Amino acid sequence: MREKILAILETNNKIELADVAVMLGVSEAEVANEVAKMEQEHIICGYHTLINWDKTSVEKVTALIEVKVTPQRGNGFDAIAEKIYNYNEVHALYLMSGGFDFTVIIEGKTMKEVALFVANKLATQEQVLSTSTHFVLKKYKDHGTVVDVPQSDERMLVTP
């Protein structure tokens, strides 16, 4: 039942628990208890709203930063990750396989603000060997949701 609840909540976190219970054929209390347990166990880590900021007046840039580091003896990557994810600018941090160790996703008001974060906070850490910053130019799909739905042209085609 847990996996089914998680799948439903992942696609619609605003759904009423009563509706989830009906979908699963169980009581609302069972669903509520299971959700509470998963929140306590940190399986459910939060509830978020996906916003297409391009359709607002808010100026934001998103950057993905590849980071190579020297892992610490005894701590591996975890201690370095903790230093990085504690910065307010960091929205996501992933340990990666391949040519670099971490992907850091941050948002800032301007490209310069992102560059200053990299130069002054990220790259200055002792274990950081190198960084490579990539700016997101346009989001088409995020967390499984299409954010830039193409507008259909409703006009009639008129030919001479």
Side-chain angles (χ1 to χ4, degrees):
M1 177 167 70
R2 279 184 160 204
E3 290 78 16
K4 290 178 182 177
I5 292 171
L6 292 171
I8 293 167
L9 291 178
E10 188 174 39
T11 57
N12 181 4
N13 69 12
K14 290 180 70 174
I15 191 167
E16 298 289 333
L17 295 184
D19 294 334
V20 176
V22 169
M23 293 168 73
L24 300 178
V26 298
S27 73
E28 184 177 348
E30 287 178 86
V31 172
N33 288 336
E34 204 58 44
V35 168
K37 286 179 191 173
M38 289 188 288
E39 288 172 345
Q40 188 175 21
E41 295 170 18
H42 221 51
I43 294 169
I44 296 176
C45 301
Y47 299 89
H48 302 279
T49 301
L50 182 60
I51 298 169
N52 184 352
W53 289 105
D54 290 342
K55 301 224 180 225
T56 71
S57 61
V58 176
E59 292 294 322
K60 282 190 178 202
V61 294
T62 303
L64 286 75
I65 306 161
E66 299 172 353
V67 183
K68 288 184 185 182
V69 299
T70 303
Q72 293 179 313
R73 180 169 289 150
N75 290 324
F77 294 102
D78 294 343
I80 303 165
E82 186 176 358
K83 286 181 185 176
I84 295 171
Y85 70 61
N86 278 316
Y87 287 115
N88 289 333
E89 296 90 343
V90 175
H91 286 260
L93 175 65
Y94 305 105
L95 180 63
M96 307 296 293
S97 64
F100 54 95
D101 302 305
F102 291 114
T103 296
V104 181
I105 300 175
I106 72 166
E107 287 183 350
K109 292 179 183 174
T110 63
M111 289 184 180
K112 182 176 182 176
E113 185 177 298
V114 171
L116 288 173
F117 167 80
V118 174
N120 296 333
K121 294 182 180 177
L122 190 58
T124 58
Q125 292 188 32
E126 184 179 329
Q127 298 86 4
V128 172
L129 300 174
S130 66
T131 65
S132 178
T133 303
H134 308 274
F135 288 97
V136 174
L137 302 178
K138 184 175 183 178
K139 289 183 185 179
Y140 293 97
K141 190 174 185 177
D142 195 356
H143 289 83
T145 302
V146 175
V147 294
D148 190 34
V149 179
Q151 300 294 322
S152 60
D153 192 350
E154 301 289 331
R155 298 177 293 178
M156 286 182 50
L157 179 63
V158 178
T159 58

